[in-house]
Amino acid sequence: MADAKTPDVIDRSGTPLVEMRDIRISFGGIQAVDGVSIDVFPGEVVGLLGHNGAGKSTLIKILSGAYQADSGQILIDGKPVTIRSPADARSNSIETIYQTLALADNLDAAANLFLGRELTSALGLVDDSAMEAETRKIMARLNPNFRKFNVPVSALSGGQRQSVAIARAVYFNARILIMDEPTAALGVHETAMVADLIKELKAQGLGIFLISHDTREMLDLCDRVSVMKNGQLVGTERVEDVTEDDILSMIIMGKNPKREAA
């Protein structure tokens, strides 16, 4: 697991990198997300927690362009944007890494990184050497221990596969990263590898929304946590201001102990 958290040094006095305001969406008369507002600043990891059906995945799918909100606003750098599709999200520097990773198992790291956006030579042919060189550069920045450039990603460990998926997002200039259960089904060593990747992305100034069911992981990796229940936001707190029991109370009871005590 990740090392103990360093003190929170995020500057939240300025404009958030991304802000979702009063987001609402319903399906068949059921309010899946009901007036939720969250934001993330550069170099910050915000964790989203809640039981299955709490609305956290639906909220994030609105940001990623998979769903369209019925009402509410999304702002990037303080400016309203319209996100109707994943392509709109990518054009606003938002990338999503789903739990399934969406990798082509039979292709190597470079082919996956440039899948659908292949580099070509002057003759219009796919330039495998250039793609491998670029993949080595981005991996040197994100995961210097990555060595398996010429094997199918099916032969990689879970942590190495996460490295490839993250490299693909970062290479194409993501500033806002959505990570859905990035350490699910990983062992201790691989979980630590992904934690190191997240720390490196933070250091490079990305804003990250992290979805997880692991409250201990959230306290280790996140700067703030936002808890949802029944489509509503229970609260958003800095991790140094809450305990694991506080978070569990928010998830289970739908009450914010910090606010109840105020």
Side-chain angles (χ1 to χ4, degrees):
M1 188 56 70
D3 297 332
K5 274 195 64 64
T6 54
D8 184 0
V9 293
I10 306 298
D11 179 9
R12 299 191 186 91
S13 62
T15 303
L17 183 55
V18 61
E19 183 177 5
M20 302 181 77
R21 291 182 183 171
D22 197 24
I23 301 295
R24 300 173 190 272
I25 188 171
S26 60
F27 300 102
I30 297 173
Q31 198 75 38
V33 177
D34 188 6
V36 173
S37 297
I38 60 171
D39 57 22
V40 67
F41 287 79
E44 183 180 35
V45 181
V46 173
L48 284 172
L49 296 106
H51 287 309
N52 289 335
K56 60 188 187 300
S57 293
T58 301
L59 178 69
I60 285 304
K61 284 181 178 178
I62 291 170
L63 183 61
S64 69
Y67 294 151
Q68 292 184 48
D70 296 330
S71 63
Q73 266 191 323
I74 298 174
L75 298 91
I76 307 291
D77 296 322
K79 299 176 181 177
V81 298
T82 299
I83 298 178
R84 294 194 179 96
S85 67
D88 286 342
R90 286 192 293 270
S91 70
N92 283 286
S93 302
I94 301 167
E95 291 280 353
T96 304
I97 299 175
Y98 292 106
Q99 191 174 338
T100 55
L101 299 183
L103 297 177
D105 282 345
N106 60 316
L107 301 179
D108 62 18
N112 268 282
L113 195 149
F114 289 98
L115 190 62
R117 295 181 275 196
E118 289 81 4
L119 300 180
T120 56
S121 66
L123 297 176
L125 303 175
V126 173
D127 194 335
D128 293 319
S129 296
M131 292 193 299
E132 181 176 334
E134 290 299 306
T135 302
R136 287 180 179 273
K137 285 181 188 176
I138 189 70
M139 281 300 189
R141 200 172 106 203
L142 290 175
N143 184 3
N145 295 320
F146 189 93
R147 295 286 183 271
K148 297 183 178 180
F149 290 96
N150 302 117
V151 300
V153 296
S154 59
L156 301 181
S157 69
Q160 291 167 336
R161 288 165 61 86
Q162 278 283 359
S163 296
V164 174
I166 291 170
R168 180 171 59 191
V170 174
Y171 184 83
F172 290 102
N173 299 315
R175 297 173 61 219
I176 302 147
L177 198 59
I178 300 166
M179 303 184 76
D180 184 8
E181 300 280 359
T183 61
L186 297 185
V188 173
H189 174 72
E190 293 189 322
T191 295
M193 180 194 301
V194 174
D196 287 341
L197 283 167
I198 291 172
K199 290 176 182 178
E200 178 59 31
L201 296 170
K202 272 172 54 70
Q204 294 179 22
L206 274 73
I208 302 171
F209 284 116
L210 178 63
I211 302 173
S212 177
H213 287 89
D214 188 333
T215 54
R216 173 47 50 187
E217 177 179 72
M218 289 300 207
L219 289 172
D220 286 340
L221 294 179
C222 298
D223 300 287
R224 289 184 292 154
V225 289
S226 294
V227 177
M228 291 183 64
K229 185 177 177 65
N230 299 329
Q232 297 183 329
L233 184 69
V234 178
T236 298
E237 299 291 343
R238 299 189 308 171
V239 294
E240 62 264 38
D241 294 336
V242 290
T243 65
E244 189 169 4
D245 285 344
D246 290 335
I247 295 174
L248 289 171
S249 176
M250 293 167 76
I251 293 171
I252 297 168
M253 305 298 294
K255 295 181 180 179
N256 188 339
K258 308 303 291 184
R259 295 182 185 177
E260 294 288 322

